[in-house]
Amino acid sequence: MVARTSFETRPCPIARSLDEVGEWWSILLLRDAFQGLTRFDQFQKSLDIAPNILTRRLNSLVERGLFEKRAYCERPLRHEYVLTAKGRDFRPVLLTLLAWGNRHLAPEGPSLVVVDTADGRWADPVLVDKETGRQLDSGGFALATGPTASDRMRQRYRFSSEGPGLPLIENGGQEEARSR
């Protein structure tokens, strides 16, 4: 078995997030938990996953703080796996993956959609800035390094931001790389 590279000490939050939940079984377990599944046998039936793999993935999600393990039966001892606040915060990521998959990987049409339960209307998940409501995929937004970024990271990105509302600092970064 090939050793898995860990990104947990990398400074990039995208790399750290992938380290936390990037394995596909973990993401599918989170998806099922959002649908109300909590028990080992429910997850196994839904995913058709080998028990040893399911045990490892559930234990990892508990260790990483996305699930909480709770006993629901004493004899025999049985546990359920309940989303924590950290796990519930993953919901927008799942909805974004769903929208991206429907847009780019479902030429036959969507097999799963987000709906408004009040009127049955299909929703199209988008990311917006919480303060302004502007869509993040529109112009005017960029990735910028924050106050704790390393020099190496600052070299990769055009802008730095030392705090909300403060002027951007131009690093050079990708803009210089494109002009070469």
Side-chain angles (χ1 to χ4, degrees):
M1 186 172 182
V2 177
R4 184 176 167 270
T5 300
S6 174
F7 295 139
E8 74 180 317
T9 60
R10 301 260 174 114
C12 176
I14 295 170
R16 287 181 180 177
S17 296
L18 285 172
D19 194 64
E20 198 76 359
V21 293
E23 198 276 331
W24 63 76
W25 287 119
S26 296
I27 293 171
L28 294 175
L29 284 164
L30 287 162
R31 177 204 62 192
D32 283 358
F34 282 112
Q35 295 307 308
L37 277 60
T38 60
R39 297 183 178 175
F40 189 94
D41 59 325
Q42 293 172 324
F43 289 122
Q44 188 174 24
K45 182 178 179 184
S46 172
L47 297 172
D48 194 26
I49 183 175
N52 61 327
I53 295 171
L54 178 56
T55 298
R56 279 198 308 267
R57 297 312 333 144
L58 287 170
N59 287 339
S60 175
L61 289 165
V62 168
E63 287 170 23
R64 293 173 182 277
L66 288 114
F67 280 156
E68 178 184 335
K69 186 175 179 178
R70 297 181 188 161
Y72 70 87
C73 182
E74 293 298 324
R75 290 182 192 248
L77 182 59
R78 301 259 192 247
H79 293 94
E80 62 182 355
Y81 299 86
V82 180
L83 288 163
T84 62
K86 182 178 178 180
R88 289 187 302 274
D89 281 349
F90 194 75
R91 183 178 169 90
V93 178
L94 279 177
L95 295 178
T96 303
L97 279 172
L98 180 146
W100 184 83
N102 278 341
R103 192 170 296 116
H104 298 287
L105 304 174
E108 70 285 358
S111 61
L112 185 64
V113 295
V114 180
V115 296
D116 184 325
T117 57
D119 62 13
R121 187 183 48 79
W122 286 15
D124 185 16
V126 296
L127 291 175
V128 298
D129 174 53
K130 186 176 179 179
E131 198 169 305
T132 66
R134 286 179 39 217
Q135 286 190 22
L136 294 178
D137 62 356
S138 65
F141 292 96
L143 296 178
T145 57
T148 63
S150 66
D151 289 338
R152 181 175 181 213
M153 185 178 264
R154 289 179 194 279
Q155 290 170 1
R156 289 178 31 212
Y157 294 92
R158 180 176 177 192
F159 299 112
S160 285
S161 175
E162 295 303 311
L166 296 177
L168 292 177
I169 302 163
E170 186 128 5
N171 293 330
Q174 291 293 349
E175 200 62 27
E176 285 183 5
R178 279 189 220 115
S179 64
R180 289 184 191 145

